[in-house]
Amino acid sequence: MEKKPHFVRREFLSRDVPSISLALLLATVLLLNALLYLYLNKFYSSLGRVETDPGLCPFGYFKFGAVKNCSPWLSCEAINREVRKLKCVGEGAVKKVFLSEWKEKKVVLSQLTNSELKEDFLHGLKMLKALQSKHVVRLLGYCEQQFTILTEYHPLGSLRGLNETLHIPKYKGMNTWHRRLMLAIDYVSVIQYLHTSPLGTLVMCDSNDLDKVLSQYLLTSDFHVVVNDLDALPLVNRSAGRLVKCGHRELQGEFVAPEQRWPYGEDVPFQDDLMPPYDEKTDIWKIPDVSNFFLGHVEGSDIVRLHLFDIHAACKKKDPAERPSAQEVLDTYRKVLTLLIREAAMPGTREML
């Protein structure tokens, strides 16, 4: 029988090899996409913290740390008997804050300092009780008679110290564009939660400048954002024609929304009763400035800003009705994060192609 020439065999192999390589490449792409899907799924369920938080207890109860069982909020008697003040760590217009100890655990004890502002203090307590969720600092107990509130302690403090924290050697690995974007997502998630809360549409009024905004939020040890100060949280009720005003003094500066500024010019002295009220879209106006702080100046942060340009421009529309909702902003942030993580995962595959 006549043997086939060797060149035919070589030609056959040369055609076969690219087919095998292509199959391997497609398998690699599918594997990378599967891994990316699993990573993002894990991100939204743990790092992103889905809405159902297993750490939450029924109303009137709490748990934290490694404790499995829920305990009832501490009463006046329990706070007086079991909580020991260690040192004062802060003081604002409404309350003084003490680092304290309860059953060998660090906690935070807040006490009213100005009796004229007791209504603000009690409003903050009411909000804290009603809004317990993954977005809000954990309430451990309270005593209305003594104007005292006990909450969970977060050693990393408020967001004002974020950049300093990220320069500590222990946390330098967290100082990346995607971790910073995740913090911005947490922040917008809090705003979205307040705008759609069980109580209705709430406006974050203690937000007249960036430093004030950052002081209202805490950075948790696992690098998430929770709102801490709920003293100034008025309710918008459009169906009842109820809008809000953040305080009774004139607000100025580019940080506050245009509708929060005196509209009648310098020639007309400010009068609170002439100042028009507004709605929750004032919070949307401030999102780009707060997010810009979160993103910082690390490698990749400018690319993130570029992807967020359109949604941030929409947040800065002069007409509040033209601004997006907090949910729309949140959806965009999440899409950008997914897109950029996918792009970061795929360069090697593109080179193989």
Side-chain angles (χ1 to χ4, degrees), residues 64-254:
F64 70 103
V67 178
K68 293 183 179 180
N69 298 325
C70 294
S71 302
W73 287 335
L74 273 63
S75 63
C76 296
E77 182 184 358
I79 291 174
N80 292 333
R81 185 179 66 249
E82 301 172 14
V83 176
R84 181 169 65 94
K85 290 180 186 177
L86 299 178
K87 63 177 179 178
C88 179
V89 292
E91 184 173 2
V94 178
K95 52 186 177 287
K96 186 177 286 189
V97 180
F98 296 89
L99 175 62
S100 305
E101 192 175 57
W102 174 70
K103 293 188 176 180
E104 299 183 348
K105 297 181 180 70
K106 296 289 191 301
V107 293
V108 173
L109 188 72
S110 302
Q111 291 184 318
L112 178 69
T113 54
N114 185 346
S115 60
E116 294 180 2
L117 298 175
K118 64 181 180 181
E119 292 303 319
D120 292 337
F121 184 91
L122 293 175
H123 176 75
L125 173 58
K126 177 185 175 182
M127 295 294 105
L128 199 54
K129 289 193 291 184
L131 299 175
Q132 283 296 288
S133 69
K134 64 175 185 177
H135 303 292
V136 178
V137 69
R138 192 162 294 160
L139 178 64
L140 309 180
Y142 64 92
C143 180
E144 285 194 38
Q145 298 95 311
Q146 299 173 10
F147 298 99
T148 299
I149 300 173
L150 193 70
T151 54
E152 187 175 7
Y153 171 61
H154 293 286
L156 296 182
S158 80
L159 290 177
R160 285 189 295 189
L162 175 64
N163 289 323
E164 290 75 13
T165 297
L166 289 172
H167 283 95
I168 297 172
K170 180 181 178 181
Y171 299 112
K172 277 190 175 180
M174 300 285 194
N175 197 15
T176 61
W177 68 263
H178 65 274
R179 178 62 67 168
R180 283 176 169 271
L181 178 54
M182 284 156 55
L183 290 175
I185 287 173
D186 270 358
Y187 165 71
V188 178
S189 296
V190 174
I191 299 299
Q192 190 275 337
Y193 174 68
L194 295 178
H195 288 185
T196 58
S197 83
L199 301 177
T201 302
L202 300 168
V203 182
M204 193 66 178
C205 264
D206 256 345
S207 56
N208 298 335
D209 57 65
L210 179 61
D211 193 63
K212 186 64 174 175
V213 171
L214 299 176
S215 71
Q216 308 301 306
Y217 297 84
L218 297 174
L219 180 64
T220 68
S221 297
D222 59 348
F223 268 71
H224 287 293
V225 174
V226 293
V227 63
N228 180 54
D229 196 331
L230 303 175
D231 294 345
L233 212 60
L235 179 70
V236 168
N237 188 339
R238 282 193 188 82
S239 60
R242 180 179 176 183
L243 299 177
V244 304
K245 288 192 285 187
C246 291
H248 304 287
R249 291 179 292 181
E250 182 177 2
L251 301 179
Q252 296 177 324
E254 291 299 313

